[in-house]
Amino acid sequence: MNSADAPGPDCSIDRVEHAMGIIRGRWKVLIIHHLAVHQPRRFSGLERAVPQVTQKMLIQQLRALEADGVVRRIVHPEVPPRVEYELTAAGRTLATALAALHDWTVQTCRADGRPEGDTSGPDGSG
């Protein structure tokens, strides 16, 4: 990296680490993806979209994403109550960043998920 490419004083790896913390969790990226594809979505729709996740874990992950400002929970005043989830503006930009990460993997990674040119074995040994 030359000096022209070096991060400016306002750029900090701490911000990247914070962003990674927001999406850390087995199901968060999938939840964000499914909300980006179709929103708003009811809880049951998310359960069907990610059938491997337990109801308890889906609730926890949605609450965490809501607390981080990525997902908005919409409660409709109806009987029975209807709750929907959608991405916030920050969540939509995060979904765009995740799409860019996906594109990077398509362009640079082999079928086993490792970057091209990685000669180490599956266990990380060279």
Side-chain angles (χ1 to χ4, degrees):
M1 177 184 305
N2 64 40
S3 61
D5 296 331
D10 293 336
C11 182
S12 168
I13 194 66
D14 293 342
R15 292 181 184 191
V16 175
E17 288 176 345
H18 176 74
M20 296 301 291
I22 290 172
I23 60 173
R24 188 170 293 125
R26 171 134 190 214
W27 307 107
K28 288 181 180 179
V29 172
L30 278 173
I31 292 167
I32 293 166
H33 165 75
H34 286 293
L35 287 174
V37 170
H38 179 266
Q39 65 176 343
R41 222 173 236 230
R42 294 182 74 166
F43 183 82
S44 60
L46 285 169
E47 280 184 306
R48 284 190 299 275
V50 190
Q52 307 90 337
V53 68
T54 64
Q55 190 176 67
K56 177 184 174 186
M57 184 55 66
L58 182 57
I59 290 167
Q60 288 175 350
Q61 301 281 273
L62 284 166
R63 285 183 181 160
L65 289 168
E66 185 180 10
D68 286 329
V70 174
V71 170
R72 178 179 301 115
R73 182 176 187 258
I74 305 162
V75 180
H76 297 279
E78 302 172 354
V79 176
R82 179 169 54 108
V83 178
E84 294 179 320
Y85 296 89
E86 67 182 12
L87 294 176
T88 62
R92 289 188 298 273
T93 59
L94 180 55
T96 301
L98 292 173
L101 182 60
H102 170 267
D103 293 346
W104 175 81
T105 62
V106 169
Q107 294 170 5
T108 63
C109 293
R110 302 183 305 222
D112 64 5
R114 295 192 318 240
E116 292 291 339
D118 180 358
T119 59
S120 64
D123 62 355
S125 62

